């Protein structure tokens, strides 16, 4: 709130007021965010020290060969019904 004068004369200096209904929930959320940032920074600084964590490496072998993939015969489509279906139904 900016500085203003009341109707009866006294001058009210500038002050800040929380939004109505914000309560302590806003404070708790802000403290949680600050704690997460501090924890992330401390975890990142310890991970960069040599000898503390192994470096990721690729363990994949290319080309990928699936054993038995070529020995299974392909599945042949089968009709869902065994009787003839009359497609010309205009009669």
């Amino acid at each position: 709130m900016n500085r203003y004068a009341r109707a009866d004369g006294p001058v009210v200096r500038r002050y800040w007021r929380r939004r109505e209904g914000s309560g302590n929930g806003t404070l708790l959320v802000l403290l949680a965010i600050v704690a997460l940032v501090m924890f992330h920074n401390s975890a990142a600084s310890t991970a960069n020290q040599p000898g503390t964590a192994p470096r990721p490496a690729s363990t994949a072998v290319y080309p990928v060969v699936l054993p038995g993939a070529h020995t299974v015969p392909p599945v042949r489509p089968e009709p869902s019904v065994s009787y003839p279906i009359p497609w010309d139904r205009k009669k």
Side-chain angles (χ1 to χ4, degrees):
M1 302 283 299
N2 292 327
R3 183 179 172 152
Y4 67 96
R6 291 186 181 174
D8 58 351
V11 176
V12 179
R13 61 187 176 129
R14 186 178 189 162
Y15 67 94
W16 179 79
R17 187 187 310 183
R18 289 189 309 194
R19 291 183 82 181
E20 186 177 335
S22 65
N24 291 335
T26 306
L27 178 64
L28 290 175
V29 169
L30 289 175
L31 289 175
I33 291 171
V34 169
L36 285 173
V37 168
M38 289 177 59
F39 176 74
H40 175 70
N41 287 342
S42 67
S45 65
T46 58
N48 291 336
Q49 296 174 355
T52 58
R55 302 285 299 170
S58 176
T59 58
V61 177
Y62 295 101
V64 177
V65 178
L66 301 175
H70 299 292
T71 60
V72 178
V75 178
R76 295 186 51 121
E78 296 180 10
S80 57
V81 293
S82 60
Y83 55 88
I85 299 175
W87 293 109
D88 188 15
R89 298 181 183 170
K90 296 179 184 177
K91 296 178 184 178

